[in-house]
């Protein structure tokens, strides 16, 4: 949810849910004159190009009413992919046992990057095992987290 306020995210989430999709993540990038808003969705049967187009129309209508960005913007709607971002504590609980890559804002025990098995999560922290060592990562310190695709 980088760069998007909670009120706007909630509106976008409601729009996606009304069509039967989960809003996985929202990223806002760009400068003062032009923004790119990336919206990642997930559906019970996966996500097709037609699904992305449908959600894009819904979100465009919401953005037309809200008008949250000065200047122009580009809207991109897609599936989260195999390296799905983990954004909420519920995401971390859902993918318990998976291999994850977590990057922190600031170093913890001398490191910012952790790649290992996701052991669990609470509202306050994420537990990751890296090379047989368990790390408790404060949820508020997580800059970015993603699943590591298994090949």
């Amino acid at each position: 949810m980088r760069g998007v306020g909670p009120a706007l995210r909630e509106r976008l989430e409601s729009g996606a849910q009304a069509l039967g999709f989960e809003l996985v993540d929202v990223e806002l990038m760009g400068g003062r004159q032009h923004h790119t808003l990336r919206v990642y969705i997930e559906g019970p049967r996966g996500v097709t190009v037609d699904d992305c187009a449908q959600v894009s129309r819904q979100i465009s209508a919401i953005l037309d009413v809200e008008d949250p960005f000065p200047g122009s913007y580009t809207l991109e709607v897609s599936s989260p992919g195999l390296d799905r971002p983990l954004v909420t504590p519920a995401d971390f609980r859902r993918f318990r046992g998976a291999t994850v890559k977590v990057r922190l804002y600031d170093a913890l025990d001398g490191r910012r990057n952790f790649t290992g098995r996701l052991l669990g999560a609470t509202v306050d922290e994420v537990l990751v095992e890296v090379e047989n060592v368990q790390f408790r990562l404060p949820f508020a310190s997580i800059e970015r987290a993603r699943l590591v695709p298994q090949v």
Side-chain angles (χ1 to χ4, degrees):
M1 174 171 78
R2 294 167 292 281
V4 176
L8 179 58
R9 180 183 167 88
E10 187 176 304
R11 292 287 315 238
L12 299 179
E13 196 165 34
S14 295
Q17 286 174 348
L19 298 173
F21 296 94
E22 173 191 352
L23 184 74
V24 173
D25 199 9
V26 180
E27 295 176 325
L28 178 63
M29 295 158 295
R32 293 182 203 165
Q33 296 302 313
H34 187 81
H35 296 87
T36 299
L37 184 67
R38 288 192 182 134
V39 176
Y40 299 98
I41 60 170
E42 210 168 49
R45 298 172 315 282
V47 176
T48 66
V49 172
D50 289 338
D51 295 334
C52 291
Q54 182 182 23
V55 172
S56 179
R57 286 189 293 275
Q58 177 89 340
I59 288 175
S60 288
I62 292 168
L63 294 173
D64 287 347
V65 170
E66 297 289 323
D67 195 22
F69 318 117
S72 62
Y73 70 91
T74 300
L75 174 62
E76 299 174 359
V77 178
S78 70
S79 81
L82 294 176
D83 62 341
R84 181 195 197 281
L86 302 174
V87 181
T88 66
D91 290 340
F92 286 94
R93 286 190 294 275
R94 176 178 168 193
F95 290 100
R96 184 174 185 259
T99 302
V100 295
K101 185 174 188 175
V102 179
R103 179 175 178 88
L104 302 180
Y105 289 111
D106 298 307
L108 175 70
D109 294 334
R111 63 191 299 175
R112 289 181 60 203
N113 296 300
F114 299 81
T115 301
R117 190 165 57 101
L118 178 59
L119 299 178
T122 67
V123 174
D124 298 320
E125 63 186 13
V126 173
L127 185 60
V128 177
E129 182 180 66
V130 180
E131 299 172 355
N132 297 319
V133 178
Q134 293 183 9
F135 293 91
R136 293 186 178 282
L137 309 176
F139 189 76
S141 298
I142 296 174
E143 179 180 339
R144 178 175 294 242
R146 291 189 169 276
L147 292 176
V148 174
Q150 299 301 305
V151 213

mmCIF file of all heavy atoms in Angstrom, residues 64-102:
data_model
loop_
_atom_site.group_PDB
_atom_site.id
_atom_site.type_symbol
_atom_site.label_atom_id
_atom_site.label_comp_id
_atom_site.label_asym_id
_atom_site.label_seq_id
_atom_site.Cartn_x
_atom_site.Cartn_y
_atom_site.Cartn_z
ATOM 1 N N ASP A 64 -12.140 8.625 -10.637
ATOM 2 C CA ASP A 64 -12.749 9.812 -11.244
ATOM 3 C C ASP A 64 -13.529 10.614 -10.208
ATOM 4 O O ASP A 64 -13.504 11.844 -10.217
ATOM 5 C CB ASP A 64 -13.675 9.415 -12.401
ATOM 6 C CG ASP A 64 -12.912 8.964 -13.631
ATOM 7 O OD1 ASP A 64 -11.684 9.186 -13.699
ATOM 8 O OD2 ASP A 64 -13.548 8.371 -14.527
ATOM 9 N N VAL A 65 -14.189 9.921 -9.289
ATOM 10 C CA VAL A 65 -14.962 10.590 -8.237
ATOM 11 C C VAL A 65 -14.029 11.152 -7.167
ATOM 12 O O VAL A 65 -14.164 12.297 -6.747
ATOM 13 C CB VAL A 65 -15.984 9.618 -7.610
ATOM 14 C CG1 VAL A 65 -16.612 10.223 -6.370
ATOM 15 C CG2 VAL A 65 -17.039 9.227 -8.627
ATOM 16 N N GLU A 66 -13.077 10.339 -6.723
ATOM 17 C CA GLU A 66 -12.173 10.736 -5.639
ATOM 18 C C GLU A 66 -11.153 11.786 -6.082
ATOM 19 O O GLU A 66 -10.757 12.622 -5.289
ATOM 20 C CB GLU A 66 -11.422 9.509 -5.096
ATOM 21 C CG GLU A 66 -12.309 8.458 -4.471
ATOM 22 C CD GLU A 66 -12.900 8.890 -3.154
ATOM 23 O OE1 GLU A 66 -12.219 9.582 -2.378
ATOM 24 O OE2 GLU A 66 -14.065 8.525 -2.891
ATOM 25 N N ASP A 67 -10.675 11.679 -7.316
ATOM 26 C CA ASP A 67 -9.646 12.571 -7.880
ATOM 27 C C ASP A 67 -8.478 12.775 -6.905
ATOM 28 O O ASP A 67 -8.168 13.894 -6.493
ATOM 29 C CB ASP A 67 -10.272 13.910 -8.262
ATOM 30 C CG ASP A 67 -9.364 14.720 -9.178
ATOM 31 O OD1 ASP A 67 -8.489 14.127 -9.845
ATOM 32 O OD2 ASP A 67 -9.523 15.953 -9.214
ATOM 33 N N PRO A 68 -7.777 11.660 -6.543
ATOM 34 C CA PRO A 68 -6.764 11.743 -5.492
ATOM 35 C C PRO A 68 -5.397 12.269 -5.922
ATOM 36 O O PRO A 68 -4.568 12.564 -5.072
ATOM 37 C CB PRO A 68 -6.626 10.288 -5.039
ATOM 38 C CG PRO A 68 -6.930 9.507 -6.270
ATOM 39 C CD PRO A 68 -7.973 10.307 -7.011
ATOM 40 N N PHE A 69 -5.146 12.380 -7.234
ATOM 41 C CA PHE A 69 -3.815 12.757 -7.702
ATOM 42 C C PHE A 69 -3.869 14.034 -8.524
ATOM 43 O O PHE A 69 -4.698 14.154 -9.418
ATOM 44 C CB PHE A 69 -3.200 11.665 -8.587
ATOM 45 C CG PHE A 69 -3.407 10.274 -8.080
ATOM 46 C CD1 PHE A 69 -4.142 9.365 -8.810
ATOM 47 C CD2 PHE A 69 -2.873 9.876 -6.872
ATOM 48 C CE1 PHE A 69 -4.335 8.081 -8.347
ATOM 49 C CE2 PHE A 69 -3.062 8.596 -6.410
ATOM 50 C CZ PHE A 69 -3.802 7.693 -7.150
ATOM 51 N N PRO A 70 -2.948 14.962 -8.260
ATOM 52 C CA PRO A 70 -2.838 16.118 -9.157
ATOM 53 C C PRO A 70 -2.191 15.656 -10.467
ATOM 54 O O PRO A 70 -1.339 14.773 -10.464
ATOM 55 C CB PRO A 70 -1.915 17.075 -8.392
ATOM 56 C CG PRO A 70 -1.133 16.196 -7.466
ATOM 57 C CD PRO A 70 -2.010 15.026 -7.147
ATOM 58 N N GLY A 71 -2.620 16.195 -11.575
ATOM 59 C CA GLY A 71 -2.039 15.802 -12.857
ATOM 60 C C GLY A 71 -2.623 14.502 -13.360
ATOM 61 O O GLY A 71 -3.663 14.033 -12.907
ATOM 62 N N SER A 72 -1.927 13.876 -14.292
ATOM 63 C CA SER A 72 -2.427 12.654 -14.914
ATOM 64 C C SER A 72 -1.892 11.419 -14.190
ATOM 65 O O SER A 72 -0.964 11.493 -13.399
ATOM 66 C CB SER A 72 -2.013 12.623 -16.381
ATOM 67 O OG SER A 72 -0.610 12.609 -16.491
ATOM 68 N N TYR A 73 -2.517 10.274 -14.515
ATOM 69 C CA TYR A 73 -2.053 9.032 -13.928
ATOM 70 C C TYR A 73 -2.302 7.885 -14.906
ATOM 71 O O TYR A 73 -3.138 7.990 -15.805
ATOM 72 C CB TYR A 73 -2.741 8.738 -12.590
ATOM 73 C CG TYR A 73 -4.198 8.381 -12.710
ATOM 74 C CD1 TYR A 73 -4.602 7.060 -12.843
ATOM 75 C CD2 TYR A 73 -5.177 9.365 -12.697
ATOM 76 C CE1 TYR A 73 -5.938 6.732 -12.968
ATOM 77 C CE2 TYR A 73 -6.509 9.053 -12.816
ATOM 78 C CZ TYR A 73 -6.895 7.733 -12.951
ATOM 79 O OH TYR A 73 -8.218 7.412 -13.071
ATOM 80 N N THR A 74 -1.562 6.818 -14.719
ATOM 81 C CA THR A 74 -1.762 5.578 -15.460
ATOM 82 C C THR A 74 -2.184 4.526 -14.449
ATOM 83 O O THR A 74 -1.564 4.384 -13.397
ATOM 84 C CB THR A 74 -0.452 5.134 -16.149
ATOM 85 O OG1 THR A 74 -0.043 6.155 -17.052
ATOM 86 C CG2 THR A 74 -0.643 3.830 -16.899
ATOM 87 N N LEU A 75 -3.231 3.787 -14.774
ATOM 88 C CA LEU A 75 -3.722 2.723 -13.901
ATOM 89 C C LEU A 75 -3.328 1.385 -14.504
ATOM 90 O O LEU A 75 -3.577 1.132 -15.684
ATOM 91 C CB LEU A 75 -5.244 2.807 -13.763
ATOM 92 C CG LEU A 75 -5.926 1.677 -12.986
ATOM 93 C CD1 LEU A 75 -5.436 1.632 -11.541
ATOM 94 C CD2 LEU A 75 -7.438 1.846 -13.049
ATOM 95 N N GLU A 76 -2.687 0.542 -13.703
ATOM 96 C CA GLU A 76 -2.321 -0.809 -14.116
ATOM 97 C C GLU A 76 -2.952 -1.787 -13.139
ATOM 98 O O GLU A 76 -2.762 -1.666 -11.932
ATOM 99 C CB GLU A 76 -0.809 -0.998 -14.102
ATOM 100 C CG GLU A 76 -0.054 -0.086 -15.045
ATOM 101 C CD GLU A 76 1.456 -0.206 -14.909
ATOM 102 O OE1 GLU A 76 1.939 -1.002 -14.061
ATOM 103 O OE2 GLU A 76 2.154 0.501 -15.640
ATOM 104 N N VAL A 77 -3.705 -2.760 -13.658
ATOM 105 C CA VAL A 77 -4.330 -3.779 -12.830
ATOM 106 C C VAL A 77 -3.825 -5.131 -13.305
ATOM 107 O O VAL A 77 -3.859 -5.424 -14.502
ATOM 108 C CB VAL A 77 -5.874 -3.727 -12.933
ATOM 109 C CG1 VAL A 77 -6.511 -4.840 -12.101
ATOM 110 C CG2 VAL A 77 -6.404 -2.370 -12.489
ATOM 111 N N SER A 78 -3.325 -5.950 -12.364
ATOM 112 C CA SER A 78 -2.810 -7.264 -12.748
ATOM 113 C C SER A 78 -2.912 -8.237 -11.577
ATOM 114 O O SER A 78 -3.245 -7.855 -10.459
ATOM 115 C CB SER A 78 -1.350 -7.156 -13.197
ATOM 116 O OG SER A 78 -0.519 -6.885 -12.112
ATOM 117 N N SER A 79 -2.586 -9.496 -11.859
ATOM 118 C CA SER A 79 -2.501 -10.486 -10.793
ATOM 119 C C SER A 79 -1.202 -10.233 -10.041
ATOM 120 O O SER A 79 -0.279 -9.614 -10.584
ATOM 121 C CB SER A 79 -2.516 -11.898 -11.371
ATOM 122 O OG SER A 79 -1.242 -12.253 -11.829
ATOM 123 N N PRO A 80 -1.080 -10.718 -8.819
ATOM 124 C CA PRO A 80 0.148 -10.479 -8.065
ATOM 125 C C PRO A 80 1.321 -11.329 -8.545
ATOM 126 O O PRO A 80 2.461 -11.069 -8.173
ATOM 127 C CB PRO A 80 -0.234 -10.828 -6.629
ATOM 128 C CG PRO A 80 -1.406 -11.733 -6.751
ATOM 129 C CD PRO A 80 -2.110 -11.367 -8.022
ATOM 130 N N GLY A 81 1.073 -12.349 -9.345
ATOM 131 C CA GLY A 81 2.155 -13.189 -9.851
ATOM 132 C C GLY A 81 2.593 -14.240 -8.847
ATOM 133 O O GLY A 81 2.084 -14.323 -7.734
ATOM 134 N N LEU A 82 3.558 -15.041 -9.264
ATOM 135 C CA LEU A 82 4.057 -16.116 -8.402
ATOM 136 C C LEU A 82 4.798 -15.584 -7.187
ATOM 137 O O LEU A 82 4.832 -16.219 -6.140
ATOM 138 C CB LEU A 82 4.973 -17.050 -9.192
ATOM 139 C CG LEU A 82 4.300 -17.845 -10.306
ATOM 140 C CD1 LEU A 82 5.347 -18.650 -11.077
ATOM 141 C CD2 LEU A 82 3.225 -18.755 -9.749
ATOM 142 N N ASP A 83 5.417 -14.404 -7.335
ATOM 143 C CA ASP A 83 6.126 -13.789 -6.206
ATOM 144 C C ASP A 83 5.222 -12.776 -5.511
ATOM 145 O O ASP A 83 5.588 -11.658 -5.242
ATOM 146 C CB ASP A 83 7.440 -13.154 -6.656
ATOM 147 C CG ASP A 83 7.232 -12.032 -7.654
ATOM 148 O OD1 ASP A 83 6.156 -11.952 -8.276
ATOM 149 O OD2 ASP A 83 8.160 -11.219 -7.816
ATOM 150 N N ARG A 84 4.034 -13.229 -5.193
ATOM 151 C CA ARG A 84 2.978 -12.416 -4.610
ATOM 152 C C ARG A 84 3.474 -11.612 -3.415
ATOM 153 O O ARG A 84 4.155 -12.141 -2.542
ATOM 154 C CB ARG A 84 1.870 -13.360 -4.145
ATOM 155 C CG ARG A 84 0.669 -12.689 -3.530
ATOM 156 C CD ARG A 84 -0.145 -13.763 -2.794
ATOM 157 N NE ARG A 84 -1.490 -13.333 -2.497
ATOM 158 C CZ ARG A 84 -1.807 -12.538 -1.489
ATOM 159 N NH1 ARG A 84 -0.881 -12.074 -0.694
ATOM 160 N NH2 ARG A 84 -3.062 -12.195 -1.271
ATOM 161 N N PRO A 85 3.120 -10.325 -3.371
ATOM 162 C CA PRO A 85 3.478 -9.539 -2.186
ATOM 163 C C PRO A 85 2.664 -9.984 -0.971
ATOM 164 O O PRO A 85 1.511 -10.383 -1.101
ATOM 165 C CB PRO A 85 3.143 -8.100 -2.576
ATOM 166 C CG PRO A 85 2.289 -8.177 -3.783
ATOM 167 C CD PRO A 85 2.466 -9.525 -4.392
ATOM 168 N N LEU A 86 3.271 -9.903 0.183
ATOM 169 C CA LEU A 86 2.599 -10.154 1.452
ATOM 170 C C LEU A 86 2.489 -8.804 2.146
ATOM 171 O O LEU A 86 3.508 -8.171 2.437
ATOM 172 C CB LEU A 86 3.409 -11.144 2.295
ATOM 173 C CG LEU A 86 3.674 -12.493 1.632
ATOM 174 C CD1 LEU A 86 4.603 -13.339 2.482
ATOM 175 C CD2 LEU A 86 2.383 -13.227 1.340
ATOM 176 N N VAL A 87 1.271 -8.363 2.380
ATOM 177 C CA VAL A 87 1.041 -6.996 2.835
ATOM 178 C C VAL A 87 0.455 -6.934 4.242
ATOM 179 O O VAL A 87 0.873 -6.120 5.048
ATOM 180 C CB VAL A 87 0.115 -6.256 1.838
ATOM 181 C CG1 VAL A 87 -0.122 -4.818 2.271
ATOM 182 C CG2 VAL A 87 0.698 -6.295 0.429
ATOM 183 N N THR A 88 -0.488 -7.785 4.524
ATOM 184 C CA THR A 88 -1.182 -7.732 5.812
ATOM 185 C C THR A 88 -0.774 -8.914 6.697
ATOM 186 O O THR A 88 -0.274 -9.924 6.197
ATOM 187 C CB THR A 88 -2.711 -7.789 5.605
ATOM 188 O OG1 THR A 88 -3.042 -9.084 5.055
ATOM 189 C CG2 THR A 88 -3.194 -6.688 4.671
ATOM 190 N N PRO A 89 -1.010 -8.815 8.004
ATOM 191 C CA PRO A 89 -0.747 -9.972 8.862
ATOM 192 C C PRO A 89 -1.503 -11.221 8.393
ATOM 193 O O PRO A 89 -0.986 -12.333 8.466
ATOM 194 C CB PRO A 89 -1.215 -9.509 10.241
ATOM 195 C CG PRO A 89 -1.025 -8.024 10.211
ATOM 196 C CD PRO A 89 -1.384 -7.624 8.792
ATOM 197 N N ALA A 90 -2.706 -11.035 7.861
ATOM 198 C CA ALA A 90 -3.480 -12.176 7.346
ATOM 199 C C ALA A 90 -2.766 -12.845 6.168
ATOM 200 O O ALA A 90 -2.804 -14.072 6.040
ATOM 201 C CB ALA A 90 -4.877 -11.714 6.927
ATOM 202 N N ASP A 91 -2.110 -12.062 5.310
ATOM 203 C CA ASP A 91 -1.327 -12.634 4.211
ATOM 204 C C ASP A 91 -0.242 -13.550 4.756
ATOM 205 O O ASP A 91 -0.030 -14.661 4.262
ATOM 206 C CB ASP A 91 -0.652 -11.539 3.373
ATOM 207 C CG ASP A 91 -1.613 -10.723 2.541
ATOM 208 O OD1 ASP A 91 -2.742 -11.179 2.288
ATOM 209 O OD2 ASP A 91 -1.213 -9.611 2.130
ATOM 210 N N PHE A 92 0.468 -13.084 5.767
ATOM 211 C CA PHE A 92 1.555 -13.866 6.350
ATOM 212 C C PHE A 92 1.026 -15.150 6.999
ATOM 213 O O PHE A 92 1.639 -16.202 6.873
ATOM 214 C CB PHE A 92 2.341 -13.036 7.368
ATOM 215 C CG PHE A 92 3.234 -12.011 6.738
ATOM 216 C CD1 PHE A 92 2.790 -10.710 6.548
ATOM 217 C CD2 PHE A 92 4.521 -12.349 6.318
ATOM 218 C CE1 PHE A 92 3.614 -9.754 5.965
ATOM 219 C CE2 PHE A 92 5.351 -11.398 5.728
ATOM 220 C CZ PHE A 92 4.896 -10.104 5.550
ATOM 221 N N ARG A 93 -0.119 -15.057 7.657
ATOM 222 C CA ARG A 93 -0.695 -16.263 8.272
ATOM 223 C C ARG A 93 -1.153 -17.249 7.198
ATOM 224 O O ARG A 93 -0.968 -18.459 7.324
ATOM 225 C CB ARG A 93 -1.847 -15.881 9.198
ATOM 226 C CG ARG A 93 -1.372 -15.237 10.499
ATOM 227 C CD ARG A 93 -2.500 -15.088 11.509
ATOM 228 N NE ARG A 93 -3.541 -14.161 11.087
ATOM 229 C CZ ARG A 93 -3.491 -12.825 11.275
ATOM 230 N NH1 ARG A 93 -2.453 -12.275 11.868
ATOM 231 N NH2 ARG A 93 -4.486 -12.068 10.872
ATOM 232 N N ARG A 94 -1.720 -16.744 6.134
ATOM 233 C CA ARG A 94 -2.236 -17.581 5.041
ATOM 234 C C ARG A 94 -1.130 -18.397 4.379
ATOM 235 O O ARG A 94 -1.347 -19.535 3.976
ATOM 236 C CB ARG A 94 -2.927 -16.688 4.008
ATOM 237 C CG ARG A 94 -3.423 -17.408 2.796
ATOM 238 C CD ARG A 94 -4.132 -16.441 1.887
ATOM 239 N NE ARG A 94 -4.369 -17.018 0.590
ATOM 240 C CZ ARG A 94 -4.735 -16.325 -0.450
ATOM 241 N NH1 ARG A 94 -4.921 -15.020 -0.364
ATOM 242 N NH2 ARG A 94 -4.934 -16.912 -1.609
ATOM 243 N N PHE A 95 0.057 -17.825 4.251
ATOM 244 C CA PHE A 95 1.134 -18.488 3.531
ATOM 245 C C PHE A 95 2.183 -19.099 4.471
ATOM 246 O O PHE A 95 3.326 -19.290 4.086
ATOM 247 C CB PHE A 95 1.765 -17.523 2.526
ATOM 248 C CG PHE A 95 0.839 -17.215 1.384
ATOM 249 C CD1 PHE A 95 0.117 -16.037 1.361
ATOM 250 C CD2 PHE A 95 0.658 -18.136 0.366
ATOM 251 C CE1 PHE A 95 -0.762 -15.759 0.324
ATOM 252 C CE2 PHE A 95 -0.220 -17.872 -0.671
ATOM 253 C CZ PHE A 95 -0.934 -16.690 -0.703
ATOM 254 N N ARG A 96 1.752 -19.414 5.679
ATOM 255 C CA ARG A 96 2.636 -20.067 6.658
ATOM 256 C C ARG A 96 3.227 -21.322 6.021
ATOM 257 O O ARG A 96 2.533 -22.092 5.373
ATOM 258 C CB ARG A 96 1.834 -20.427 7.901
ATOM 259 C CG ARG A 96 2.652 -21.005 9.005
ATOM 260 C CD ARG A 96 1.766 -21.175 10.243
ATOM 261 N NE ARG A 96 2.562 -21.624 11.351
ATOM 262 C CZ ARG A 96 2.600 -22.890 11.762
ATOM 263 N NH1 ARG A 96 1.878 -23.794 11.166
ATOM 264 N NH2 ARG A 96 3.367 -23.229 12.777
ATOM 265 N N GLY A 97 4.543 -21.515 6.190
ATOM 266 C CA GLY A 97 5.232 -22.668 5.632
ATOM 267 C C GLY A 97 5.890 -22.382 4.289
ATOM 268 O O GLY A 97 6.749 -23.141 3.845
ATOM 269 N N ALA A 98 5.513 -21.295 3.643
ATOM 270 C CA ALA A 98 6.089 -20.938 2.344
ATOM 271 C C ALA A 98 7.452 -20.272 2.530
ATOM 272 O O ALA A 98 7.789 -19.789 3.612
ATOM 273 C CB ALA A 98 5.148 -19.976 1.602
ATOM 274 N N THR A 99 8.217 -20.239 1.463
ATOM 275 C CA THR A 99 9.477 -19.510 1.474
ATOM 276 C C THR A 99 9.180 -18.059 1.116
ATOM 277 O O THR A 99 8.466 -17.786 0.147
ATOM 278 C CB THR A 99 10.482 -20.111 0.467
ATOM 279 O OG1 THR A 99 10.693 -21.485 0.796
ATOM 280 C CG2 THR A 99 11.808 -19.376 0.507
ATOM 281 N N VAL A 100 9.717 -17.135 1.921
ATOM 282 C CA VAL A 100 9.456 -15.716 1.725
ATOM 283 C C VAL A 100 10.763 -14.927 1.695
ATOM 284 O O VAL A 100 11.783 -15.386 2.212
ATOM 285 C CB VAL A 100 8.547 -15.138 2.835
ATOM 286 C CG1 VAL A 100 7.168 -15.772 2.786
ATOM 287 C CG2 VAL A 100 9.166 -15.306 4.209
ATOM 288 N N LYS A 101 10.675 -13.764 1.112
ATOM 289 C CA LYS A 101 11.791 -12.814 1.108
ATOM 290 C C LYS A 101 11.257 -11.529 1.733
ATOM 291 O O LYS A 101 10.282 -10.952 1.241
ATOM 292 C CB LYS A 101 12.269 -12.570 -0.318
ATOM 293 C CG LYS A 101 13.480 -11.698 -0.409
ATOM 294 C CD LYS A 101 13.972 -11.622 -1.849
ATOM 295 C CE LYS A 101 15.298 -10.894 -1.895
ATOM 296 N NZ LYS A 101 15.851 -10.901 -3.255
ATOM 297 N N VAL A 102 11.886 -11.112 2.829
ATOM 298 C CA VAL A 102 11.421 -9.933 3.567
ATOM 299 C C VAL A 102 12.550 -8.913 3.623
ATOM 300 O O VAL A 102 13.691 -9.253 3.917
ATOM 301 C CB VAL A 102 10.998 -10.316 5.012
ATOM 302 C CG1 VAL A 102 10.531 -9.085 5.773
ATOM 303 C CG2 VAL A 102 9.922 -11.397 4.994
#
